[in-house]
């Protein structure tokens, strides 16, 4: 990642959540005998340790969905790490006793028989001067009997029975490179007002694969919080709770211990079927046209409802950036790949809803978009819903049904996907790209498609956001939905 210096392009950083090993596994149902039975005392991602930037060979991030009538899948991060020193092998550890230490305020030197080399990650435990016990520091130099790390710690001690371990191991010699440990990727850019560090992905290790060929490489695969929620369960009764309140209660009941943000809390629901969290929430998110239930780049759950994406809402949204097919300035993105399609594969103009009411009876509504049916013929779909307002106010269910019938009734040309190389951007454009997330508003300009045609300006929302980052390139691809 050496070419990304934080000024001409963002500086990439990768962090491990070293505050709680395997937190993302979220194992419950047991406790220490005689313990306090307290769960969730640690706030995720509050103790971050930066991994060696020079070891990152490539980063691939995939987040979102390919069309706006699908559920958002768990985001993924794939890290390819240079494992020449064995740092990213959870089965490989070097260690020996430490008998003395001395800190000058710039460096700390430890006395220990070792085979460390500059660049190794090392932790020191068990010294009587606690300030000289260090976790996950980089060795700057080493001899056969001493090694040194850069640190502002001071003090000294001799006659010690401490020890060092190399790599990402805790004091119990348990590797942090295991399923469930938190990982965060950020990008920092220097702009007006100073340096801004923005998260690109927050999630948990799912799998580690080692390639021990001539050039050892470790591939670390991570998933975001949706992967965690798919293994968490709730049996809470949501009857007559409004949408966001119901989602919040489900998350709390399942034990979600990060933030939850939502856009609106309007229509009430009936009792949602007991299941894993994602399955319980899906009947809500799938029947609010355009809505999104996802984990953001900071690892928090977001719910964006229909009101965010309702017709006419794009004009009031914050447009993050503009993409064009020619480089107008360094404040716009020049794309080199675009797919503009008709709306045929999305078309839907007749919808039937089968709603489970609070008393478990089924209420049915069918609505049409008459002009679309007359123009294209019927394109029908059915949905199972769980709303309680309709049990008392029948018009609510009719409104929901009509929204679903109208959503894709007259789909015309749309930017389906777009891709570009991240080069030649101003610092402000970089920042606006980095803070963009699922649901962000963007604009796509295009010169006329047909001879004597009109220039096009597509107002869009981001549905899928992908990064492919290597030391000498950064490519992004987006899947978009119409903002009108």
């Amino acid at each position: 990642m050496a070419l990304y210096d934080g000024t001409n392009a963002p500086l990439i950083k990768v962090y491990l959540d070293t505050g709680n090993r395997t937190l993302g596994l979220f194992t419950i149902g047991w406790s220490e005998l005689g313990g306090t039975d307290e769960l969730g005392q640690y706030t995720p991602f509050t103790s971050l340790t930066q991994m060696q930037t020079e070891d990152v060979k490539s980063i691939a991030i995939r987040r979102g969905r390919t069309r706006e009538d699908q559920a958002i899948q768990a985001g993924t991060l794939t890290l390819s790490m240079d494992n020449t020193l064995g740092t990213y092998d959870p089965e490989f550890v070097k260690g020996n006793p430490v008998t003395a230490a001395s800190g000058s305020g710039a460096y700390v030197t430890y006395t220990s028989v070792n085979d460390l080399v500059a660049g190794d990650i090392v932790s020191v435990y068990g010294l009587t001067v606690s300030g000289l016990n260090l976790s996950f520091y980089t060795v700057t130099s080493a001899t056969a009997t001493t090694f040194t790390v850069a640190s502002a710690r001071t003090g000294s001690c001799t006659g010690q029975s401490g020890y060092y371990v190399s790599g990402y191991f805790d004091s119990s010699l348990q590797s942090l490179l295991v399923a469930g440990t938190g990982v965060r990727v950020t990008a920092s850019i220097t702009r007006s007002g100073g340096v801004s560090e923005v998260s690109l992905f927050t999630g948990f290790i799912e799998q580690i694969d080692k390639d021990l060929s001539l050039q050892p490489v470790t591939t670390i695969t991570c998933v975001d919080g949706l992967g965690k929620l798919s293994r968490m369960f709730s049996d809470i009764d949501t009857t007559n709770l409004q949408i966001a309140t119901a989602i919040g209660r489900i998350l709390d009941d399942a034990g979600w211990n990060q933030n939850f943000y939502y856009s609106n809390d309007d229509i009430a629901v009936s009792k949602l079927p007991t299941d894993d969290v994602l399955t319980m929430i899906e009947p809500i998110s799938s029947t609010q046209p355009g809505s999104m239930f996802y984990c953001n780049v900071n690892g928090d759950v977001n719910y964006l409802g229909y009101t965010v994406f309702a017709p006419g809402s794009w004009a009031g949204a914050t447009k993050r950036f503009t993409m064009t097919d020619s480089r107008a300035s360094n404040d716009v993105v020049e794309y080199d790949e675009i797919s503009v399609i008709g709306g045929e594969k999305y078309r839907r103009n007749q919808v039937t809803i089968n709603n489970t009411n609070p008393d478990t009876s089924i209420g049915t509504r069918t609505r049409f978009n008459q002009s679309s049916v007359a123009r294209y013929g019927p394109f029908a779909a059915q949905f199972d819903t769980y709303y309680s307002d309709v049990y008392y106010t029948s018009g609510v269910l009719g409104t929901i049904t009509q929204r679903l019938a109208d959503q894709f009734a007259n789909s015309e040309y749309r930017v389906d996907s777009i891709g570009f190389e991240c080069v030649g951007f101003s610092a402000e454009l970089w920042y606006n790209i980095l803070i963009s997330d699922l649901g962000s508003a963007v604009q796509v300009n295009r010169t006329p498609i047909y001879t004597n045609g009109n220039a096009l300006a597509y107002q869009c929302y981001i549905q899928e956001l992908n990064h492919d980052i290597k030391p000498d390139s950064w490519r992004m691809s987006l899947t978009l939905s119409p903002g009108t």
Side-chain angles (χ1 to χ4, degrees):
M1 295 296 122
L3 293 183
Y4 296 103
D5 59 6
T7 299
N8 298 307
L11 176 65
I12 299 295
K13 297 180 181 180
V14 181
Y15 297 92
L16 274 181
D17 182 3
T18 52
N20 197 346
R21 180 177 177 269
T22 70
L23 175 72
L25 289 179
F26 202 79
T27 303
I28 59 176
W30 61 272
S31 63
E32 181 181 358
L33 184 64
T36 60
D37 292 328
E38 292 182 351
L39 182 65
Q41 295 301 302
Y42 172 72
T43 301
F45 302 101
T46 54
S47 296
L48 298 177
T49 297
Q50 185 181 346
M51 300 168 75
Q52 287 284 80
T53 300
E54 294 77 8
D55 291 343
V56 181
K57 296 174 69 70
S58 67
I59 296 172
I61 297 172
R62 304 284 181 268
R63 298 179 57 243
R65 57 189 177 188
T66 57
R67 49 188 288 174
E68 64 267 34
D69 57 349
Q70 295 177 338
I72 293 176
Q73 303 300 310
T76 63
L77 164 69
T78 304
L79 289 172
S80 179
M81 308 295 291
D82 184 338
N83 196 33
T84 303
L85 297 178
T87 305
Y88 306 101
D89 185 340
E91 279 82 42
F92 177 72
V93 60
K94 296 183 290 186
N96 253 335
V98 174
T99 59
S102 178
S104 66
Y107 296 93
V108 180
T109 298
Y110 296 92
T111 301
S112 175
V113 176
N114 70 88
D115 58 357
L116 298 170
V117 298
D120 270 331
I121 301 298
V122 68
S123 300
V124 177
Y125 303 111
L127 301 182
T128 56
V129 178
S130 60
L132 298 179
N133 292 315
L134 301 176
S135 298
F136 316 118
Y137 275 65
T138 303
V139 174
T140 58
S141 62
T143 69
T145 57
T146 66
F147 62 89
T148 299
V149 301
S151 171
R153 307 288 180 88
T154 59
S156 63
C157 55
T158 59
Q160 298 294 297
S161 300
Y163 60 98
Y164 82 84
V165 291
S166 66
Y168 292 97
F169 289 83
D170 63 18
S171 59
S172 300
L173 299 185
Q174 298 292 318
S175 176
L176 292 169
L177 298 177
V178 293
T181 297
V183 175
R184 174 170 288 169
V185 177
T186 69
S188 300
I189 188 71
T190 301
R191 50 192 286 268
S192 58
V195 177
S196 297
E197 184 173 7
V198 179
S199 291
L200 297 180
F201 182 91
T202 299
F204 306 93
I205 295 175
E206 185 176 61
Q207 183 174 325
I208 292 182
D209 297 298
K210 295 171 293 185
D211 181 348
L212 303 181
S213 302
L214 294 178
Q215 295 182 330
V217 173
T218 295
T219 300
I220 303 174
T221 304
C222 307
V223 296
D224 69 13
L226 290 190
K228 182 176 172 180
L229 289 174
S230 68
R231 298 188 292 270
M232 297 168 65
F233 296 84
S234 172
D235 60 0
I236 192 170
D237 187 348
T238 58
T239 301
N240 294 329
L241 298 178
Q242 292 182 305
I243 286 178
T245 301
I247 294 174
R249 296 280 182 86
I250 291 169
L251 294 172
D252 288 343
D253 185 58
W256 178 252
N257 57 349
Q258 290 176 247
N259 294 319
F260 168 50
Y261 301 105
Y262 59 90
S263 61
N264 56 291
D265 192 19
D266 44 17
I267 304 170
V269 299
S270 55
K271 180 175 174 56
L272 296 168
T274 299
D275 212 315
D276 67 83
V277 170
L278 295 188
T279 302
M280 286 188 72
I281 293 172
E282 195 277 335
I284 297 176
S285 59
S286 67
T287 56
Q288 294 291 305
S291 69
M292 291 184 168
F293 180 79
Y294 65 98
C295 277
N296 65 20
V297 292
N298 295 313
D300 300 318
V301 167
N302 280 38
Y303 171 72
L304 302 180
Y306 169 77
T307 56
V308 176
F309 306 105
S313 61
W314 194 94
T318 300
K319 184 176 69 174
R320 292 302 182 192
F321 58 94
T322 298
M323 294 166 279
T324 70
D325 53 9
S326 61
R327 177 55 61 89
S329 73
N330 64 355
D331 288 319
V332 298
V333 173
E334 181 183 4
Y335 57 82
D336 54 33
E337 179 184 350
I338 188 170
S339 172
V340 179
I341 64 172
E344 294 82 4
K345 74 175 183 178
Y346 295 91
R347 187 160 293 129
R348 182 179 69 213
N349 52 30
Q350 175 183 326
V351 168
T352 297
I353 274 184
N354 301 307
N355 187 73
T356 300
N357 298 315
D359 66 355
T360 72
S361 65
I362 303 297
T364 300
R365 297 288 187 279
T366 299
R367 293 290 186 272
F368 302 84
N369 183 291
Q370 298 292 356
S371 62
S372 177
V373 171
R375 183 176 181 183
Y376 302 111
F379 288 79
Q382 289 196 48
F383 295 87
D384 294 325
T385 61
Y386 298 84
Y387 292 109
S388 65
D389 276 10
V390 301
Y391 190 59
Y392 308 105
T393 312
S394 59
V396 175
L397 183 56
T399 299
I400 293 171
T401 311
Q402 191 65 58
R403 288 174 181 173
L404 291 167
D406 293 341
Q407 183 182 13
F408 299 118
N410 294 295
S411 299
E412 298 184 359
Y413 291 112
R414 56 184 285 157
V415 180
D416 196 51
S417 61
I418 198 165
F420 52 89
E421 294 288 337
C422 298
V423 293
F425 296 164
S426 67
E428 286 304 310
L429 177 57
W430 263 119
Y431 177 72
N432 287 329
I433 290 173
L434 295 176
I435 64 173
S436 298
D437 202 353
L438 304 181
S440 290
V442 296
Q443 182 167 315
V444 178
N445 294 338
R446 191 178 183 195
T447 53
I449 300 173
Y450 301 121
T451 304
N452 299 323
N454 297 320
L456 300 173
Y458 297 96
Q459 298 173 344
C460 307
Y461 295 113
I462 296 176
Q463 296 292 327
E464 182 181 34
L465 192 154
N466 303 320
H467 297 272
D468 289 284
I469 308 171
K470 297 179 180 180
D472 58 353
S473 68
W474 186 328
R475 185 165 183 83
M476 288 185 64
S477 59
L478 308 174
T479 298
L480 305 173
S481 65
T484 56

